[in-house]
Each structure stands twice: as C-alpha cells, then as structure tokens.
Amino acid sequence: MENLSLYDLLVGQFSSESEYADNVSSANFDSMSEERKLRQSIIENLHMVLRTRQGSVQHLPDFGMPDILQMYFDSGNSIEPIRKQIRKTILKYEPRIGNVDVEKTDFDQKNMRIAFKIVASIKEHPNKEILLTEFST
C-alpha cells in the first residue's frame, strides 16, 4: 500500500476513465490485491502525465507532454523525438517503473494519429506491464 500515489490513498479509489484502467469503485478498492492496486495506480498516473499538456501545471512546468504536433514539425517530420520525450517523461514522473521501452506501432500521417506501445516493468514486481497509448492532434 505504501507504493500507491498520495491521491489514490486520499481518494480511496481509482477514478480514471482510461480504457486501460479497471475503473474500480470505492466499494471494492479495499478488496483489491496490493499488486493490482499498484498496477492500477501506475496506469492512472501514466494516463494523467501523458495526457497533460506540458506547461499547464504551474508548480511543475515540465510535467506532462509538450505539443506533439509541434515536436513532429520541429524535428523535420520525425517520430523519434516524440518517442524519446514519452520515455523521458515516464521515467521522470513515474518512479515506480523501470526498463521503459517506447515503440511506434502505427502512424497515420494523413490524419496525424500515432500509436505507441509502451512496455515497462514494475520495480517491485518482475512481471511486465504493457500499455498501448494513442496520441493525436
């Protein structure tokens, strides 16, 4: 339980609407295994970090992701800086995971939609977590 985020502990439930979240109500939060709570807490934190625009949190100006479309154009239409920024952001703002690998799985240049597969291990557990995240403008 000591590895849950302060927010999760204070609220006593997970409230993310992420498609990767289990949407656990407060009624069964206490009955979840500690490993499942940890996994869910990490997923929710990653969801929040990756969906927040960098600069929108005043006391943490580098929290979140910069404008991905601008990064793409600034790099001469390369995906690599985006992939590296995602990895850097995850490693900085989710200390409970390591061995983060980010790889492009799909890119629709016409509609400016990109999908990445993010694979990371939970430091406390040897098993792998796989998250599929899509970014679009």
Side-chain angles (χ1 to χ4, degrees):
M1 185 83 115
E2 70 272 355
N3 285 326
L4 294 183
S5 73
L6 179 59
Y7 179 80
D8 297 333
L9 292 171
L10 290 173
V11 175
Q13 69 181 30
F14 300 111
S15 57
S16 175
E17 294 178 12
S18 165
E19 62 185 281
Y20 307 108
D22 293 337
N23 290 331
V24 179
S25 69
S26 59
N28 58 2
F29 178 83
D30 292 331
S31 65
M32 291 172 63
S33 71
E34 294 305 313
E35 185 176 347
R36 184 169 175 219
K37 285 180 185 177
L38 175 61
R39 182 176 53 85
Q40 187 69 33
S41 177
I42 290 169
I43 289 170
E44 293 216 5
N45 187 50
L46 288 174
H47 182 257
M48 180 174 35
V49 170
L50 294 174
R51 292 184 60 111
T52 300
R53 175 64 62 90
Q54 197 172 69
S56 63
V57 179
Q58 286 185 340
H59 62 283
L60 291 172
D62 68 338
F63 181 85
M65 288 293 297
D67 184 330
I68 292 173
L69 183 60
Q70 191 62 52
M71 286 181 68
Y72 177 71
F73 290 138
D74 290 348
S75 68
N77 299 348
S78 174
I79 301 299
E80 188 61 16
I82 299 168
R83 187 191 70 75
K84 287 180 178 178
Q85 182 64 47
I86 292 169
R87 184 176 188 280
K88 179 182 169 186
T89 301
I90 289 172
L91 287 171
K92 182 170 185 174
Y93 285 103
E94 185 42 83
R96 299 171 291 181
I97 61 175
N99 302 321
V100 176
D101 184 41
V102 179
E103 59 186 71
K104 177 185 64 123
T105 59
D106 188 34
F107 180 49
D108 177 359
Q109 193 169 12
K110 180 182 175 192
N111 295 311
M112 297 308 291
R113 296 181 73 78
I114 187 167
F116 289 97
K117 180 171 80 171
I118 302 168
V119 180
S121 61
I122 298 175
K123 290 178 179 177
E124 192 174 291
H125 300 284
N127 59 327
K128 297 275 185 182
E129 288 291 325
I130 300 173
L131 306 173
L132 188 60
T133 306
E134 184 175 289
F135 293 95
S136 62
T137 57

Coordinates of all heavy atoms in Angstrom, one line a residue, residues 46-110:
L46 N 0.3 7.3 -15.2 CA 0.8 7.5 -16.6 C -0.3 8.1 -17.5 O 0.1 9.0 -18.3 CB 1.2 6.1 -17.2 CG 2.5 5.5 -16.6 CD1 2.7 4.1 -17.1 CD2 3.7 6.4 -16.9
H47 N -1.5 7.7 -17.3 CA -2.6 8.3 -18.1 C -2.6 9.8 -17.9 O -2.7 10.6 -18.8 CB -3.9 7.6 -17.7 CG -5.1 8.1 -18.5 ND1 -6.0 9.0 -17.9 CD2 -5.5 7.8 -19.7 CE1 -6.9 9.2 -18.8 NE2 -6.7 8.6 -19.9
M48 N -2.5 10.2 -16.6 CA -2.6 11.7 -16.3 C -1.4 12.4 -16.8 O -1.5 13.5 -17.4 CB -2.7 11.8 -14.8 CG -2.7 13.3 -14.4 SD -3.0 13.5 -12.6 CE -2.1 12.2 -11.8
V49 N -0.2 11.8 -16.7 CA 1.1 12.5 -17.1 C 1.1 12.7 -18.6 O 1.4 13.7 -19.2 CB 2.3 11.7 -16.6 CG1 3.6 12.2 -17.3 CG2 2.4 11.8 -15.1
L50 N 0.7 11.6 -19.3 CA 0.8 11.6 -20.8 C -0.3 12.4 -21.5 O -0.1 12.8 -22.6 CB 0.9 10.2 -21.4 CG 2.1 9.4 -21.0 CD1 2.0 7.9 -21.4 CD2 3.4 10.0 -21.5
R51 N -1.4 12.6 -20.8 CA -2.5 13.4 -21.4 C -2.5 14.9 -20.9 O -3.3 15.7 -21.4 CB -3.8 12.8 -21.0 CG -4.0 11.4 -21.7 CD -5.3 10.8 -21.4 NE -6.4 11.7 -21.9 CZ -7.2 11.5 -22.9 NH1 -7.0 10.4 -23.5 NH2 -8.1 12.3 -23.3
T52 N -1.5 15.3 -20.1 CA -1.4 16.6 -19.6 C -0.5 17.4 -20.5 O 0.6 16.9 -20.8 CB -0.9 16.7 -18.2 OG1 -1.8 16.0 -17.3 CG2 -0.8 18.1 -17.7
R53 N -0.9 18.6 -21.0 CA 0.0 19.4 -21.8 C 1.1 20.0 -21.0 O 0.7 20.6 -19.9 CB -0.8 20.5 -22.5 CG -0.1 21.5 -23.3 CD 0.7 20.9 -24.5 NE -0.2 20.3 -25.5 CZ -0.7 21.0 -26.6 NH1 -0.5 22.2 -26.7 NH2 -1.5 20.3 -27.4
Q54 N 2.3 19.9 -21.3 CA 3.4 20.5 -20.6 C 3.2 22.0 -20.5 O 2.9 22.6 -21.5 CB 4.7 20.1 -21.4 CG 5.9 20.3 -20.5 CD 7.2 19.8 -21.2 OE1 7.6 20.4 -22.2 NE2 7.7 18.7 -20.8
G55 N 3.4 22.5 -19.3 CA 3.2 23.9 -19.1 C 1.9 24.3 -18.5 O 1.7 25.4 -18.0
S56 N 1.0 23.3 -18.4 CA -0.3 23.6 -17.8 C -0.4 23.5 -16.3 O -1.4 23.9 -15.7 CB -1.4 22.7 -18.5 OG -1.2 21.4 -18.2
V57 N 0.6 22.9 -15.7 CA 0.7 22.8 -14.2 C 1.8 23.8 -13.7 O 2.9 23.6 -14.0 CB 1.1 21.3 -13.8 CG1 1.2 21.2 -12.3 CG2 0.1 20.3 -14.3
Q58 N 1.3 24.9 -13.1 CA 2.2 26.0 -12.8 C 3.4 25.6 -11.9 O 4.5 26.1 -12.1 CB 1.4 27.1 -12.1 CG 0.6 27.9 -13.1 CD -0.1 29.1 -12.4 OE1 -0.3 29.1 -11.2 NE2 -0.5 30.0 -13.3
H59 N 3.1 24.8 -10.9 CA 4.2 24.5 -10.0 C 5.1 23.4 -10.5 O 6.2 23.1 -9.9 CB 3.7 24.1 -8.6 CG 2.8 22.9 -8.6 ND1 1.5 22.9 -9.0 CD2 3.0 21.6 -8.2 CE1 1.0 21.7 -8.9 NE2 1.9 20.9 -8.4
L60 N 4.8 22.7 -11.6 CA 5.6 21.7 -12.3 C 5.6 22.0 -13.8 O 4.9 21.3 -14.5 CB 5.2 20.3 -12.0 CG 5.3 19.8 -10.6 CD1 4.6 18.4 -10.5 CD2 6.8 19.6 -10.2
P61 N 6.3 23.0 -14.3 CA 6.2 23.5 -15.7 C 6.6 22.4 -16.7 O 6.1 22.4 -17.8 CB 7.1 24.7 -15.8 CG 7.9 24.7 -14.5 CD 7.2 23.9 -13.5
D62 N 7.4 21.4 -16.3 CA 7.8 20.4 -17.3 C 6.9 19.1 -17.1 O 7.2 18.1 -17.8 CB 9.3 20.1 -17.2 CG 9.7 19.4 -15.9 OD1 8.9 19.5 -14.9 OD2 10.7 18.7 -15.9
F63 N 5.9 19.2 -16.3 CA 5.0 18.0 -16.1 C 4.2 17.8 -17.4 O 3.6 18.8 -17.9 CB 4.1 18.2 -14.9 CG 3.1 17.1 -14.6 CD1 3.6 16.0 -13.9 CD2 1.9 17.1 -15.1 CE1 2.7 14.9 -13.6 CE2 1.0 16.0 -14.9 CZ 1.4 14.9 -14.1
G64 N 4.1 16.6 -17.8 CA 3.2 16.3 -19.0 C 4.0 16.3 -20.3 O 5.3 16.3 -20.3
M65 N 3.3 16.3 -21.4 CA 3.9 16.2 -22.7 C 3.8 17.5 -23.4 O 2.8 18.2 -23.4 CB 3.2 15.1 -23.5 CG 3.5 13.7 -23.1 SD 5.2 13.2 -23.4 CE 5.3 13.3 -25.2
P66 N 4.9 17.9 -24.1 CA 4.8 19.1 -25.0 C 3.9 18.8 -26.2 O 3.4 17.7 -26.4 CB 6.3 19.3 -25.5 CG 7.0 18.0 -25.3 CD 6.2 17.2 -24.2
D67 N 3.7 19.9 -26.9 CA 2.8 19.7 -28.1 C 3.5 18.8 -29.1 O 4.5 19.1 -29.7 CB 2.6 21.1 -28.8 CG 1.7 21.1 -29.9 OD1 1.5 20.1 -30.6 OD2 1.0 22.1 -30.2
I68 N 2.8 17.6 -29.3 CA 3.4 16.6 -30.1 C 3.5 17.0 -31.6 O 4.5 16.7 -32.3 CB 2.6 15.3 -29.9 CG1 2.9 14.8 -28.5 CG2 3.0 14.2 -30.9 CD1 2.1 13.6 -28.1
L69 N 2.5 17.6 -32.1 CA 2.5 18.1 -33.4 C 3.6 19.1 -33.7 O 4.3 18.9 -34.7 CB 1.1 18.7 -33.8 CG 1.0 19.2 -35.3 CD1 1.1 18.0 -36.2 CD2 -0.4 19.9 -35.5
Q70 N 3.8 20.0 -32.8 CA 4.9 20.9 -32.9 C 6.3 20.2 -32.9 O 7.2 20.5 -33.6 CB 4.9 22.0 -31.8 CG 5.8 23.2 -32.0 CD 5.4 23.9 -33.3 OE1 4.3 24.3 -33.5 NE2 6.4 24.1 -34.2
M71 N 6.4 19.2 -32.0 CA 7.7 18.4 -31.9 C 7.9 17.7 -33.3 O 9.0 17.7 -33.8 CB 7.6 17.3 -30.8 CG 7.7 17.9 -29.4 SD 7.6 16.5 -28.2 CE 9.1 15.6 -28.6
Y72 N 6.9 17.2 -33.8 CA 7.0 16.5 -35.1 C 7.5 17.4 -36.2 O 8.4 17.1 -37.0 CB 5.6 15.9 -35.5 CG 5.5 15.2 -36.8 CD1 6.2 14.0 -37.0 CD2 4.8 15.8 -37.9 CE1 6.1 13.3 -38.2 CE2 4.7 15.1 -39.1 CZ 5.4 13.9 -39.3 OH 5.3 13.3 -40.5
F73 N 6.9 18.6 -36.3 CA 7.3 19.6 -37.3 C 8.7 20.1 -37.1 O 9.5 20.3 -38.0 CB 6.2 20.7 -37.4 CG 4.9 20.3 -38.0 CD1 3.7 20.8 -37.5 CD2 4.9 19.4 -39.1 CE1 2.5 20.4 -38.1 CE2 3.7 19.0 -39.7 CZ 2.5 19.5 -39.1
D74 N 9.0 20.4 -35.8 CA 10.3 21.0 -35.4 C 11.4 20.0 -35.7 O 12.6 20.4 -35.9 CB 10.3 21.4 -34.0 CG 9.5 22.6 -33.7 OD1 9.1 23.3 -34.6 OD2 9.3 22.9 -32.4
S75 N 11.1 18.7 -35.7 CA 12.2 17.7 -36.0 C 12.3 17.3 -37.4 O 12.9 16.3 -37.7 CB 11.8 16.5 -35.1 OG 10.7 15.8 -35.6
G76 N 11.6 18.0 -38.3 CA 11.7 17.6 -39.7 C 10.8 16.4 -40.0 O 11.2 15.6 -40.8
N77 N 9.7 16.3 -39.4 CA 8.7 15.3 -39.6 C 9.3 13.9 -39.1 O 9.1 12.9 -39.8 CB 8.2 15.2 -41.0 CG 7.5 16.5 -41.4 OD1 7.2 17.3 -40.6 ND2 7.3 16.6 -42.7
S78 N 9.9 13.9 -38.0 CA 10.5 12.7 -37.4 C 9.7 12.3 -36.1 O 9.3 13.1 -35.3 CB 11.9 12.8 -37.0 OG 12.4 11.7 -36.3
I79 N 9.5 11.0 -36.0 CA 8.8 10.4 -34.8 C 9.7 10.2 -33.6 O 9.3 10.2 -32.5 CB 8.1 9.1 -35.2 CG1 7.1 9.2 -36.3 CG2 7.4 8.4 -34.0 CD1 6.0 10.2 -36.1
E80 N 11.0 10.1 -33.9 CA 12.0 9.8 -32.9 C 12.0 10.7 -31.7 O 12.0 10.3 -30.5 CB 13.4 9.7 -33.5 CG 14.4 9.1 -32.6 CD 14.2 7.7 -32.1 OE1 13.3 7.0 -32.6 OE2 14.8 7.4 -31.0
P81 N 12.0 12.0 -31.9 CA 11.9 12.9 -30.7 C 10.7 12.7 -29.8 O 10.7 12.9 -28.6 CB 11.9 14.3 -31.3 CG 12.5 14.2 -32.7 CD 12.1 12.8 -33.1
I82 N 9.6 12.4 -30.4 CA 8.3 12.1 -29.7 C 8.5 10.9 -28.8 O 8.2 10.9 -27.6 CB 7.1 12.0 -30.6 CG1 6.9 13.3 -31.4 CG2 5.9 11.6 -29.8 CD1 5.9 13.2 -32.5
R83 N 9.0 9.8 -29.4 CA 9.3 8.6 -28.7 C 10.2 8.8 -27.5 O 9.9 8.4 -26.4 CB 9.9 7.5 -29.7 CG 10.0 6.2 -29.1 CD 10.8 5.3 -30.0 NE 12.2 5.6 -30.0 CZ 13.1 5.4 -29.0 NH1 12.7 4.8 -27.9 NH2 14.3 5.8 -29.1
K84 N 11.3 9.6 -27.8 CA 12.2 9.8 -26.7 C 11.6 10.7 -25.6 O 11.9 10.5 -24.4 CB 13.5 10.5 -27.2 CG 14.4 9.6 -28.0 CD 15.6 10.4 -28.6 CE 16.5 9.5 -29.3 NZ 17.7 10.2 -29.9
Q85 N 10.8 11.7 -25.9 CA 10.1 12.5 -24.9 C 9.1 11.7 -24.1 O 9.0 11.9 -22.9 CB 9.4 13.7 -25.6 CG 8.8 14.7 -24.6 CD 9.8 15.4 -23.7 OE1 10.8 15.9 -24.2 NE2 9.5 15.4 -22.4
I86 N 8.4 10.8 -24.7 CA 7.5 10.0 -23.9 C 8.3 9.2 -22.9 O 7.9 9.1 -21.7 CB 6.7 9.0 -24.9 CG1 5.7 9.8 -25.7 CG2 5.9 8.0 -24.1 CD1 5.1 9.0 -26.9
R87 N 9.3 8.5 -23.3 CA 10.2 7.7 -22.4 C 10.7 8.6 -21.3 O 10.7 8.2 -20.1 CB 11.3 7.1 -23.2 CG 12.1 6.1 -22.3 CD 13.2 5.4 -23.1 NE 13.8 4.4 -22.3 CZ 14.8 4.6 -21.5 NH1 15.2 5.9 -21.3 NH2 15.3 3.7 -20.8
K88 N 11.3 9.8 -21.6 CA 11.9 10.7 -20.6 C 10.8 11.1 -19.6 O 11.1 11.2 -18.4 CB 12.4 11.9 -21.4 CG 13.0 12.9 -20.5 CD 13.6 14.1 -21.3 CE 13.9 15.3 -20.4 NZ 14.3 16.5 -21.2
T89 N 9.6 11.5 -20.1 CA 8.5 11.9 -19.2 C 8.1 10.8 -18.3 O 7.9 11.0 -17.1 CB 7.3 12.4 -20.1 OG1 7.8 13.5 -20.9 CG2 6.2 12.9 -19.2
I90 N 8.0 9.6 -18.8 CA 7.5 8.5 -18.0 C 8.6 8.2 -16.9 O 8.2 8.0 -15.7 CB 7.3 7.2 -18.9 CG1 6.1 7.4 -19.7 CG2 7.3 6.0 -18.0 CD1 5.9 6.3 -20.7
L91 N 9.8 8.2 -17.3 CA 10.9 7.9 -16.3 C 11.0 9.0 -15.2 O 11.3 8.7 -14.0 CB 12.2 7.7 -17.0 CG 12.4 6.4 -17.8 CD1 13.7 6.5 -18.6 CD2 12.4 5.2 -16.9
K92 N 10.7 10.2 -15.6 CA 10.8 11.3 -14.6 C 9.6 11.3 -13.6 O 9.7 11.5 -12.4 CB 10.8 12.6 -15.3 CG 10.9 13.8 -14.3 CD 11.3 15.1 -14.9 CE 11.5 16.1 -13.9 NZ 11.9 17.4 -14.4
Y93 N 8.4 11.0 -14.2 CA 7.2 11.2 -13.3 C 6.5 9.9 -12.9 O 5.4 10.0 -12.3 CB 6.2 12.1 -14.1 CG 6.6 13.5 -14.0 CD1 7.2 14.2 -15.1 CD2 6.5 14.3 -12.8 CE1 7.7 15.5 -15.0 CE2 7.0 15.6 -12.7 CZ 7.5 16.2 -13.8 OH 8.0 17.5 -13.7
E94 N 7.1 8.8 -13.2 CA 6.6 7.5 -12.6 C 7.8 6.7 -12.1 O 8.3 5.8 -12.8 CB 5.8 6.7 -13.7 CG 5.1 5.5 -13.1 CD 4.5 5.7 -11.7 OE1 3.4 6.2 -11.7 OE2 5.1 5.3 -10.7
P95 N 8.3 7.0 -10.9 CA 9.5 6.3 -10.3 C 9.2 4.9 -10.0 O 10.2 4.2 -9.7 CB 9.8 7.2 -9.1 CG 8.5 7.7 -8.7 CD 7.7 8.0 -10.0
R96 N 8.0 4.4 -10.0 CA 7.8 3.0 -9.6 C 8.0 2.0 -10.7 O 8.0 0.8 -10.5 CB 6.3 2.9 -9.1 CG 6.0 3.7 -7.9 CD 4.6 3.8 -7.5 NE 3.8 4.5 -8.5 CZ 2.5 4.7 -8.5 NH1 1.8 4.2 -7.5 NH2 1.9 5.4 -9.4
I97 N 8.3 2.5 -11.9 CA 8.6 1.6 -13.0 C 10.0 1.9 -13.6 O 10.6 2.9 -13.4 CB 7.6 1.7 -14.2 CG1 7.5 3.1 -14.8 CG2 6.2 1.3 -13.7 CD1 6.6 3.3 -15.9
G98 N 10.5 0.9 -14.3 CA 11.8 1.0 -15.0 C 11.8 0.2 -16.3 O 10.8 -0.3 -16.7
N99 N 12.9 0.2 -16.9 CA 13.1 -0.5 -18.2 C 12.0 -0.2 -19.2 O 11.3 -1.0 -19.7 CB 13.1 -2.1 -18.0 CG 14.2 -2.5 -17.0 OD1 15.3 -2.0 -17.1 ND2 13.8 -3.4 -16.1
V100 N 11.8 1.1 -19.3 CA 10.7 1.6 -20.2 C 11.2 1.6 -21.7 O 12.2 2.1 -22.0 CB 10.4 3.1 -19.8 CG1 9.3 3.6 -20.8 CG2 9.9 3.1 -18.4
D101 N 10.3 0.9 -22.5 CA 10.6 0.9 -23.9 C 9.4 1.4 -24.6 O 8.2 1.0 -24.3 CB 10.8 -0.6 -24.3 CG 11.2 -0.7 -25.8 OD1 12.0 0.1 -26.3 OD2 10.7 -1.6 -26.5
V102 N 9.6 2.4 -25.5 CA 8.5 3.0 -26.3 C 8.8 2.8 -27.7 O 9.8 3.1 -28.2 CB 8.5 4.5 -26.0 CG1 7.4 5.2 -26.8 CG2 8.3 4.8 -24.5
E103 N 7.8 2.2 -28.4 CA 8.0 1.9 -29.8 C 6.7 2.3 -30.6 O 5.6 2.1 -30.1 CB 8.4 0.5 -30.1 CG 7.4 -0.6 -29.6 CD 7.9 -2.0 -29.8 OE1 8.9 -2.3 -29.1 OE2 7.4 -2.7 -30.7
K104 N 6.9 2.9 -31.8 CA 5.8 3.3 -32.6 C 5.2 2.0 -33.2 O 5.8 1.1 -33.6 CB 6.3 4.1 -33.8 CG 5.3 4.5 -34.8 CD 5.9 5.2 -36.0 CE 6.8 4.4 -36.7 NZ 6.6 4.1 -38.1
T105 N 3.8 1.9 -33.1 CA 3.1 0.8 -33.6 C 2.3 1.2 -34.9 O 2.0 0.3 -35.7 CB 2.2 0.1 -32.6 OG1 1.3 1.1 -32.1 CG2 3.0 -0.4 -31.4
D106 N 1.9 2.4 -35.0 CA 1.1 2.9 -36.1 C 1.3 4.4 -36.3 O 1.4 5.1 -35.3 CB -0.4 2.5 -35.9 CG -1.2 2.8 -37.1 OD1 -0.7 2.6 -38.2 OD2 -2.4 3.2 -36.9
F107 N 1.3 4.8 -37.5 CA 1.3 6.3 -37.8 C 0.5 6.6 -39.0 O 0.8 6.1 -40.1 CB 2.8 6.7 -37.9 CG 2.9 8.2 -38.2 CD1 2.2 9.1 -37.4 CD2 3.7 8.7 -39.3 CE1 2.4 10.5 -37.7 CE2 3.8 10.0 -39.5 CZ 3.2 10.9 -38.7
D108 N -0.6 7.3 -38.9 CA -1.4 7.8 -40.0 C -1.1 9.2 -40.2 O -1.6 10.1 -39.5 CB -2.9 7.6 -39.6 CG -3.9 8.0 -40.6 OD1 -3.4 8.6 -41.7 OD2 -5.1 7.9 -40.4
Q109 N -0.2 9.5 -41.1 CA 0.3 10.8 -41.4 C -0.8 11.7 -41.9 O -0.9 12.9 -41.6 CB 1.4 10.8 -42.4 CG 2.2 12.2 -42.4 CD 3.5 12.0 -43.2 OE1 3.8 11.1 -43.8 NE2 4.3 13.1 -43.1
K110 N -1.8 11.2 -42.7 CA -2.9 12.0 -43.2 C -3.7 12.6 -42.1 O -4.1 13.7 -42.1 CB -3.7 11.1 -44.1 CG -4.9 11.8 -44.8 CD -5.7 10.9 -45.6 CE -7.0 11.7 -46.1 NZ -7.9 10.7 -46.7

